[in-house]
Amino acid sequence: MFLFSIGADAYVRDLFRPFEAEGIELGRISSAAHEQYRIYLESGECEAVPAGRLRWEEALPAVGDWIAARRVDPNLVWMEAVLPRRTQFSRQAAGAAISEQVLAANIDLALIVCGLDGDFNLRRLERYLVLAKESGAQAVIVLNKLDLCQNYSARIAAVEEIAPGTPVLAISAQQSVQPLETLVRGRTVVLLGSSGAGKSTIVNGLMSDQSQLTQPVRASDSRGRHTTTSRMLLPLPEGGAIIDTPGMRELQLWATEGSLDQVFEEIANLAERCKFGDCSHTNEPGCAVRTALETGGLDPSRWESYRKLQREVRRHQDPAGLKKEWKAIHKAMRHHPKYNRK
């Protein structure tokens, strides 16, 4: 019944059925860091090692994945297969190569946490909303540190304006997380947000203990100190599970333009009214986007945010175009006085 309490419903059991055999158990990844894994089995938690074919097929598991596992000894299992995912949160992996990094899998609900102090950033929220939309999970925005903000009503209204249809909750996690308790019960939840937003404090409140260390943020900019250093799945006391993620200084998108257009729906609707289907929204006649910008119908900062995220999306969808862009940058650098000294 333990695995059922953290999400092993009839759907998951059906996925596991083709892998049922002597010595094979169902499990769920509880932590993953630098290819070191731990896994929940019905009998408890232990270490796990991926089978060679998972490496060969580049199908390494992520936190939240359901696994067909073979017991090696009481403290170790061999991960034979990763079951198909319902949802997954991904970002572009760090480094020059264009590749996907799965942050968490099989998520029902994404709590996008943003502080109402110096952490408050509408543009970052838009980025996380695109990530959540691409994942397939439901998103809820949690505005934390209500007690530290004098003009919270204006900030809440600003968030509701950029995220129509997405629930927005304002809380002070240091005092109470009660508004979240019913929302998360029985579901697999991931917390997303920058370091210092209060994710670990929310986890502690929902877990009814101090399972996650917390540290004060810097007074100068309200940024945190990466208290959580790896992704971990923690069973919730009343059923369900929660995944805490390290605060990310930079979150490069791994998404489609469809998800982007759903988050920026008003811009997508304007673009459909342009005279030309391939309108670049720069100087073409009959451009509904430019008209909205000129008449005040579209916030310029919202438009710039959309364009920035759109460029990121298109880069990972068109690696050849990205390579061409970098070649042009390197060529320009060769002719720049700063880099061309003899």
Side-chain angles (χ1 to χ4, degrees):
M1 291 300 291
F2 169 68
L3 290 182
F4 176 79
S5 73
I6 62 170
D9 55 15
Y11 176 82
V12 173
R13 297 287 179 179
D14 284 343
L15 292 177
F16 179 66
R17 191 161 290 116
F19 300 96
E20 288 181 333
E22 185 176 352
I24 301 295
E25 301 180 54
L26 176 65
R28 192 172 197 188
I29 298 295
S30 60
S31 69
H34 309 295
E35 295 194 20
Q36 295 182 334
Y37 299 93
R38 292 189 65 80
I39 187 172
Y40 287 125
L41 303 169
E42 193 63 58
S43 57
E45 189 181 17
C46 67
E47 294 184 5
V49 176
R53 71 168 169 271
L54 294 184
R55 299 178 185 276
W56 178 259
E57 296 170 357
E58 297 184 349
L60 290 172
V63 173
D65 267 323
W66 292 101
I67 302 294
R70 184 181 299 277
R71 178 79 68 170
V72 176
D73 62 41
N75 300 309
L76 181 67
V77 297
W78 188 255
M79 295 186 287
E80 299 269 334
V82 178
L83 274 58
R85 293 165 175 156
R86 277 173 165 167
T87 60
Q88 68 179 47
F89 283 83
S90 300
R91 69 172 175 180
Q92 182 177 309
I98 297 177
S99 60
E100 179 182 15
Q101 179 189 13
V102 180
L103 302 175
N106 300 306
I107 307 302
D108 302 312
L109 175 68
L111 298 182
I112 303 173
V113 184
C114 177
L116 283 165
D117 54 358
D119 179 65
F120 187 78
N121 188 311
L122 293 175
R123 306 289 79 88
R124 190 193 307 125
L125 279 174
E126 289 167 343
R127 183 177 290 268
Y128 277 115
L129 283 167
V130 175
L131 178 84
K133 185 66 68 174
E134 183 70 19
S135 76
Q138 180 190 356
V140 171
I141 296 173
V142 180
L143 299 177
N144 190 24
K145 307 183 184 181
L146 186 63
D147 54 315
L148 300 181
C149 183
Q150 297 294 324
N151 61 332
Y152 62 85
S153 296
R155 291 193 166 182
I156 293 171
V159 171
E160 290 175 337
E161 186 174 353
I162 68 162
T166 301
V168 179
L169 298 177
I171 67 170
S172 175
Q174 288 281 6
Q175 298 173 6
S176 173
V177 295
Q178 190 276 329
L180 302 178
E181 290 174 351
T182 302
L183 193 64
V184 305
R185 187 176 298 127
R187 309 170 82 179
T188 297
V189 182
V190 66
L191 270 69
L192 301 171
S194 61
S195 182
K199 300 188 304 300
S200 293
T201 302
I202 291 173
V203 171
N204 288 340
L206 293 173
M207 296 290 294
S208 302
D209 62 24
Q210 294 297 308
S211 59
Q212 298 293 81
L213 293 173
T214 60
Q215 294 185 24
V217 298
R218 294 194 302 248
S220 60
D221 58 5
S222 300
R223 301 306 293 271
R225 303 178 187 176
H226 292 290
T227 305
T228 303
T229 57
S230 62
R231 285 171 286 280
M232 295 175 288
L233 184 146
L234 305 168
L236 287 167
E238 297 187 31
I242 193 162
I243 298 177
D244 192 11
T245 62
M248 289 171 279
R249 299 293 190 201
E250 185 176 10
L251 180 69
Q252 292 293 327
L253 284 185
W254 189 271
T256 62
E257 289 202 54
S259 296
L260 182 67
D261 286 347
Q262 288 181 66
V263 173
F264 292 83
E265 186 176 9
E266 80 280 20
I267 295 177
N269 290 338
L270 285 170
E272 289 181 356
R273 288 157 44 192
C274 289
K275 182 177 181 179
F276 300 104
D278 60 349
C279 184
S280 66
H281 315 303
T282 52
N283 54 13
E284 293 92 340
C287 175
V289 172
R290 299 309 308 178
T291 299
L293 286 167
E294 291 165 3
T295 59
L298 176 61
D299 181 355
S301 61
R302 176 87 165 155
W303 168 243
E304 288 304 317
S305 177
Y306 172 82
R307 292 290 289 165
K308 179 181 180 180
L309 298 179
Q310 184 185 57
R311 287 192 294 269
E312 288 185 32
V313 168
R314 289 180 175 178
R315 281 173 184 168
H316 78 70
Q317 291 180 341
D318 181 19
L322 179 61
K323 184 177 180 181
K324 182 178 179 181
E325 181 179 334
W326 274 109
K327 284 180 70 175
I329 292 172
H330 291 156
K331 183 177 179 180
M333 288 175 66
R334 287 198 300 271
H335 292 88
H336 194 287
K338 180 178 178 181
Y339 302 101
N340 195 28
R341 296 173 180 170
K342 294 184 179 179

